[in-house]
């Protein structure tokens, strides 16, 4: 992302706008699915919204710019309010990931269409900017989906896994997620010690993903 800012500021602005909307859609997915499952916590705090400012997290946004993956401000949920606890926990947790995958897939399909239509032969001007922005935005949305699938509290993947774990384990996991010291240490480890292997894994996933579309 920072390299894009140096080489093409206009493309960077377009990608930033797409990512702000993508993060908002990710958190909106959690909020609206929680509401559908009977929990009004997010609605009461104004999080059933597509306004990116409602979901903005400074550190998570900076991480996206620096390393290509990050997070928005987590949507508050209270799983005991779900009509079906395990089903609700699973669906609410996976909702944001599904949205990011849909965005990445939509952008990849558009790029495939552009390739078939011959628009990618020698793109010039604003078309080149759109192409570059679409590639980066698709990649980062895919990164967000895969990153959030990691079964590490407080990421979405941990709650997806939690929906299958014995109920007696759940209070310990919730307390762990509420511990700010743990959250800071976990995120620092992901962004330092595990940054290189995680980056390599994400790169491999991107290669496979775009390969599915012949890109």
């Amino acid at each position: 992302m920072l390299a894009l800012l140096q080489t093409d500021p206009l493309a960077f602005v377009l990608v930033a706008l797409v990512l702000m909307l993508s993060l908002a859609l990710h958190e909106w997915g959690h909020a609206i699915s929680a509401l559908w499952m009977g929990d009004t916590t997010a609605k009461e705090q104004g999080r059933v919204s597509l306004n990116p400012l409602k979901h903005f997290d400074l550190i998570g946004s900076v991480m996206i710019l620096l390393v290509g993956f990050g997070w928005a401000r987590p949507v508050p949920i209270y799983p005991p309010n779900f009509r079906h606890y395990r089903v609700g926990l699973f669906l609410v947790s996976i909702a944001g990931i599904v949205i990011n995958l849909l965005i990445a897939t939509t952008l990849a399909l558009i790029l495939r269409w552009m390739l078939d239509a011959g628009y990618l032969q020698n793109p010039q001007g604003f078309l080149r900017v759109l192409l570059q922005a679409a590639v980066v935005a698709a990649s980062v949305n895919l990164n967000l989906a895969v990153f959030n699938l990691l079964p590490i509290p407080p990421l979405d993947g941990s709650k997806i896994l939690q929906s299958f774990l014995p109920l007696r384990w759940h209070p310990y996991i919730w307390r762990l997620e509420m511990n700010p010291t743990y959250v800071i240490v976990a995120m620092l480890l992901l962004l330092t010690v595990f940054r290189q292997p995680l980056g390599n894994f994400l790169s491999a996933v991107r290669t496979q993903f775009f390969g599915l579309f012949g890109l």
Side-chain angles (χ1 to χ4, degrees):
M1 283 290 291
L2 289 181
L4 184 62
L5 174 60
Q6 296 174 344
T7 59
D8 199 326
L10 180 56
F12 175 84
V13 171
L14 290 175
V15 170
L17 291 174
V18 171
L19 292 182
M20 287 179 64
L21 181 58
S22 299
L23 289 171
L25 283 168
H26 179 103
E27 297 304 327
W28 173 83
H30 290 315
I32 194 67
S33 56
L35 184 60
W36 288 341
M37 294 306 299
D39 179 31
T40 62
T41 306
K43 180 181 179 181
E44 291 166 357
Q45 297 193 24
R47 299 298 300 279
V48 185
S49 170
L50 291 176
N51 180 358
L53 296 179
K54 295 281 188 179
H55 310 289
F56 180 77
D57 181 275
L58 179 59
I59 296 177
S61 299
V62 170
M63 288 300 102
I64 292 178
L65 296 178
L66 292 177
V67 297
F69 54 86
W71 54 88
R73 186 159 61 93
V75 164
I77 61 172
Y78 187 63
N81 285 340
F82 295 152
R83 285 188 294 274
H84 305 285
Y85 177 78
R86 287 187 184 275
V87 174
L89 187 58
F90 176 82
L91 292 178
V92 172
S93 301
I94 205 170
I97 293 170
V98 170
I99 286 176
N100 287 130
L101 286 175
L102 287 174
I103 294 172
T105 300
T106 299
L107 290 170
L109 287 171
I110 292 173
L111 289 169
R112 179 69 243 183
W113 172 79
M114 292 177 69
L115 180 63
D116 292 340
Y119 292 123
L120 305 187
Q121 295 296 328
N122 187 27
Q124 300 292 330
F126 189 62
L127 180 60
R128 180 184 60 80
V129 173
L130 284 176
L131 169 63
Q132 193 171 12
V135 171
V136 175
S139 297
V140 175
N141 267 281
L142 186 63
N143 286 354
L144 288 171
V146 176
F147 178 68
N148 275 287
L149 272 173
L150 295 176
I152 302 170
L155 299 178
D156 296 332
S158 70
K159 297 185 182 68
I160 294 171
L161 177 62
Q162 185 181 346
S163 67
F164 296 98
L165 293 175
L167 292 177
R168 65 179 181 275
W169 294 8
H170 290 206
Y172 301 103
I173 298 174
W174 290 119
R175 282 200 290 271
L176 191 63
E177 292 189 356
M178 296 296 292
N179 186 324
T181 302
Y182 160 78
V183 172
I184 292 172
V185 171
M187 291 300 103
L188 284 176
L189 287 174
L190 283 174
L191 297 171
T192 54
V193 177
F194 297 106
R195 176 181 173 181
Q196 188 63 45
L198 180 57
N200 292 338
F201 175 68
L202 290 173
S203 178
V205 171
R206 286 196 303 273
T207 300
Q208 293 296 320
F209 175 80
F210 286 114
L212 293 174
F213 299 91
L215 298 171

